Each structure stands twice: as C-alpha cells, then as structure tokens.
C-alpha cells in the first residue's frame, strides 16, 4: 500500500492517429469517429466509470493528404470538451492549444469558460506547434524558431494566468439590498506590455472552483524542459524504460525547484498503449501484428516526413539521405538534427534512415491483465511515472482495460476506487493557486510576526 496514487489519462484518436493509419478500415471503428460527438461521449463515460483523471485531446492546425486519418477530420478541442463537460461529471478535460498561433486574451477566455462549464475540470496542454506548415495558415511566411516559440509561450502563459486572476474569488458580492453586484476593488486590469504581447484586461470571466485550468506541457527539448520548469503542472512525455522515466522526472523536478516552485506539484504522464491478451505471448504478438499492419514503408515515410515539412515520397528511397541543411530545425529540432547527423555519419539511404528511426520497439504494457497491472505498478512505484496517458485502438479495448486492469490496480492500493474531488486539480492532488491580488492584500494586512514567518518559509 502507498499514500501516493496513480493517475490515468485517456487520449482519443478516433479513426487513427500516428502509427494507426489503417485503423479506419477495421469494421469495429465508426468511419466518422473523429467527428462524432456520441463516440467521444461513450468513450469518456467508460473512462469516467473507471475513475480516470482526465480526457486528453491532441490538436494541430496544419494538414496535408499524408497525415493520419484522425488528423484529417477532427473536432476543435475546446468545442469538443465543452460538449463532454455536460455529458460527464468528474473526469478532467484537457485541451491542446498552441501559444504560437493564438491570442492570450481569447484563449484565456475560452479556457476559463470551459473551466466554468465543467465546474473546475479544465486543463490546457500548451504547445508551440512543430508543424512548419501552420505558419501559412496564420499569414506568416515561415514558422517561429525554437527560441522565439518558447519565449513567446512563456509570456503567453504568464498573461493567461494574469487574466485568470482578473477577479478575486469574492468579487461578486451580489448584495441586492445594497444594490451592489460587484466589489470594484476586486476587479483588476492586467496592463501587460511585454516582448510579444500587449494586453490590457481585465478578463470578463470570474475564477472557477479550481482557480485556474491546470497547465500541461509536452516538449522534451532543452527549451521545452526549461519551459516545463517554469509553468508545468502536468507533463505528457515518452519513456522507453523505467530508467528513462526516472531520469526525466528527476531532471524536470530539479528545474522546477530551481525556479522556486514546489517539485511535488507536478504530475508526469508518459504515453502507453495497453494491449491485453489471454497470455503474455498472445498480447505481444497482437501488438506487433497491429503495428506492422499500420506501418509499411510508405506509411512510415509519411510519418517520418512530418517534422521536416517536405515530401520525401518524391525522392528515391535507395539514394543517400538528402542534405537538407537547416530544413526542419525549427520543428522538432533535437530529433530532426539527430536524424540528419546519424544519416550523414553512417551514410544511410533514405530508406535505411526511415527504418532506423521508425522501427518497432516493443510495448511494455502488452500482456495479460495481471501482467499489465504489474508493469504499471512497477513503473509507478519506481518513480518512472505519476500517471499513464493511455490510448486504445478500439472502444472495446478501453472497456477491457477498465473491466480487468483497473480493478487489479485498485487491489494493489495504487489507484483510487472513487473520485476524491470534484475538480481536476483536486483529483490530481494539485493545490489551487491563490489569486495574486488576494495574496498581496493578505500579505499587506499580515502582522510583522506573520510576515517574518512567511519569509522564513519561503527561504526554507
């Protein structure tokens, strides 16, 4: 038994996301799953019955015909999650939204609205957009470079957080006898004038029951990790092994502490794709079979090309990997640079490079229900994860996980049997951020002894 509890997130990919390019052909998959709100509601309710912490919706704002089926035709995240908010009661709702191609005031208002609609269950996965093609959809000739994207993202989040503090919690007195709806002293303009944004405020939405939406982040580059250290309360990542997950967690929590934040106020969610079978061998064989059915060379090439922003299909796959100069460096920079370095140093062809970086790597979460539960527990107790962001090819596989794996995790004492709170923050064990103006007012009215004690606690 442990006081620390596992968290579960569900990522939904409809007719097939990355690595699932032929999933739409399965007769069990509705051909309109990615735009059918009833499909989303059904899956969200299954996850909620399993006391999952949250639904996670990915997004991007550029496509071409080579993209995975789900990406070609899907619902906008905040619109989708607003519908799920009124069809569910407890499960958190996390939307991906880019800081590179949004306005802080507009996005802060939409997220705050989702937080109210859901009674405090909203989260924001902050991305900077790695698809170079997104720039063309927003009137730009080229994508922002890495440093600019992350500097802009940090200022964007700070502005949003400032706007969410526009009203103090008790600003709306609604005193009928006095004819006083609002205490104007508790409404605050932001008056932000920074490097990238100039935003007056205030926001015309009050604070929600959880104070602010939970901030998630998914970048693993050096800039992404530094950004996580500044603002992240949740992180979506990849961990190929327990050791890799432990090392990542230690690195991010160190960065958080260096920024003067509490490293325990963070939840890390590596992605996982549980596959269940009657035996471990059967489950692993099914996992590989599913992967291979979706990942012939043509499909691998399409996915491989995405961060480069060019069409590799027109090139001879058996010719040397092309000299691309800096192409793709402003996308997934670290990975793109590593691909080009390896291809150059080992003199690989395009085909060899694609196969090297797109090979099947096994699935630690494939096995019987007992094996999968044991593996999740092992990763969790080792500190390789705080939660698991799971995805499934089929709704039936989600149902199997909830029916067979969740009870085993509960029996181990690592997963909840019921929701502990009504907000996403509460269920994740994260604190409600104090309104900055309330905090200033409280500190100003504190006694000298209390102020000294606060300074000592801050120093400690």
């Amino acid at each position: 038994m442990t006081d620390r509890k596992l968290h579960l997130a569900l990522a939904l990919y409809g007719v097939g996301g990355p690595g699932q390019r032929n999933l739409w052909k399965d007769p069990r998959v509705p051909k309109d799953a990615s735009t059918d709100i009833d499909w989303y509601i059904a899956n969200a309710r299954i996850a909620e019955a399993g006391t999952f912490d949250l639904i996670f919706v990915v997004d991007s704002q550029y496509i071409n015909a080579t993209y995975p089926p789900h990406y070609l035709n899907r619902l906008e995240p905040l619109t989708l999650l607003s519908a799920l908010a009124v069809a569910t009661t407890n499960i958190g709702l996390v939307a991906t939204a880019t800081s590179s191609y949004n306005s802080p005031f507009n996005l802060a208002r939409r997220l705050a609205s989702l937080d109210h609609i859901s009674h405090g269950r909203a989260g924001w996965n902050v991305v900077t957009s790695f698809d170079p093609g997104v720039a063309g959809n927003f009137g730009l000739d080229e994508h922002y470079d890495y440093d600019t994207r992350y500097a802009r993202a940090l200022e964007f989040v700070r502005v949003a957080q400032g706007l969410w503090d526009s009203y103090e919690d008790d600003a709306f007195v609604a005193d009928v006898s006095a004819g006083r709806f609002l205490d104007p002293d508790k409404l605050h303009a932001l008056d932000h004038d920074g490097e990238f944004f100039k935003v007056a405020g205030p926001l015309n939405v009050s604070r929600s029951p959880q104070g602010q939406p939970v901030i998630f982040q998914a970048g693993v580059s050096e800039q992404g990790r530094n950004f996580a250290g500044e603002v992240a309360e949740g992180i979506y990542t990849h961990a190929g092994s327990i050791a890799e997950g432990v090392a990542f967690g230690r690195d991010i929590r160190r960065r958080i502490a260096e920024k003067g934040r509490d490293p325990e106020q963070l939840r890390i969610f590596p992605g996982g794709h549980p596959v269940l079978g009657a035996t471990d061998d059967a489950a692993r064989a099914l996992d590989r079979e599913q992967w291979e059915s979706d990942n012939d060379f043509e499909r691998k090439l399409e996915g491989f090309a995405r961060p480069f922003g060019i069409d590799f299909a027109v090139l001879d796959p058996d010719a040397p990997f092309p000299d691309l100069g800096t192409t793709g460096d402003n996308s997934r920079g670290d990975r793109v640079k590593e691909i080009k370095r390896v291809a150059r140093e080992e003199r690989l062809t395009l085909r060899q490079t694609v196969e090297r970086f797109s090979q099947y790597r096994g699935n630690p979460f494939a096995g019987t229900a007992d094996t999968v539960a044991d593996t999740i527990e092992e990763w969790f107790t080792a500190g390789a994860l705080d939660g698991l962001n799971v995805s499934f090819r089929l709704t039936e596989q989600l149902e199997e996980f909830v029916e067979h794996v969740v009870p085993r995790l509960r029996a181990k004492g690592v997963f909840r049997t019921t929701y502990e709170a009504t907000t996403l923050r509460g269920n994740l064990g994260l604190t409600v951020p104090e309104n900055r103006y309330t905090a200033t007012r409280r500190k100003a009215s504190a006694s000298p002894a209390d102020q000294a004690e606060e300074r000592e606690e801050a120093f400690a």
Side-chain angles (χ1 to χ4, degrees), residues 210 212 233 262 265 267 425-426 428-434:
Q210 67 171 353
Q212 297 181 3
E233 298 171 291
D262 182 358
Q265 290 291 300
R267 304 292 176 260
R425 284 187 179 279
L428 290 175
L430 300 174
T431 59
V432 174
E434 185 178 19

Side-chain angles (χ1 to χ4, degrees), residues 106-323:
N106 181 265
L107 184 57
R109 187 185 186 203
R110 288 156 56 205
L111 285 161
S113 296
L114 175 61
D115 216 18
H116 276 284
I117 292 168
S118 64
H119 304 293
R121 294 185 282 138
W124 173 23
N125 178 41
V126 185
V127 298
T128 65
S129 297
F130 74 84
D131 267 320
V134 178
N137 288 333
F138 290 86
L140 299 181
D141 293 329
E142 62 181 20
H143 196 29
Y144 298 115
D145 62 64
Y146 243 75
D147 290 338
T148 299
R149 293 212 312 268
Y150 277 102
R152 178 186 170 96
L154 180 57
E155 186 178 334
F156 195 118
V157 173
R158 297 300 189 209
V159 171
Q161 290 173 324
L163 289 169
W164 289 328
D165 276 349
S166 293
Y167 288 108
E168 295 183 55
D169 292 314
D170 56 352
F172 291 97
V173 293
D175 186 342
V176 175
S177 62
R180 189 167 180 250
F181 182 68
L182 169 71
D183 180 349
D185 290 336
K186 296 186 177 180
L187 171 61
H188 305 275
L190 185 62
D191 292 327
H192 174 85
D193 190 354
E195 180 181 359
F196 300 99
F197 305 107
K198 186 174 183 179
V199 182
L203 193 66
N204 55 345
V205 184
S206 60
R207 279 167 61 92
S208 78
Q210 67 171 353
Q212 297 181 3
V214 180
I215 300 295
F216 287 79
Q217 182 267 351
V220 296
S221 66
E222 184 66 16
Q223 294 95 327
R225 291 179 185 226
N226 285 335
F227 177 67
E230 293 273 9
V231 302
E233 298 171 291
I235 295 181
Y236 297 113
T237 186
H238 168 77
S241 66
I242 288 176
E244 186 178 322
V246 170
F248 178 81
R250 286 175 177 167
D251 177 62
I252 296 297
R253 287 189 165 89
R254 172 185 60 80
R255 294 174 196 246
I256 286 175
E258 288 174 352
K259 298 299 181 181
R261 300 173 57 215
D262 182 358
E264 296 308 311
Q265 290 291 300
L266 175 72
R267 304 292 176 260
I268 298 176
F269 289 79
H273 178 57
V275 175
L276 301 182
T279 66
D280 289 347
D281 287 343
R284 290 163 185 158
L286 174 61
D287 181 68
R288 178 146 199 164
E289 177 187 335
Q290 291 174 341
W291 188 89
E292 290 178 344
S293 71
D294 278 328
N295 289 279
D296 57 24
F297 179 73
E298 182 180 353
R299 301 287 83 76
K300 290 178 184 177
L301 185 62
E302 290 173 351
F304 178 86
R306 186 181 174 196
F308 290 92
I310 59 178
D311 184 7
F312 281 108
V314 300
L315 303 178
D316 179 358
D318 297 309
F321 189 82
D323 181 359

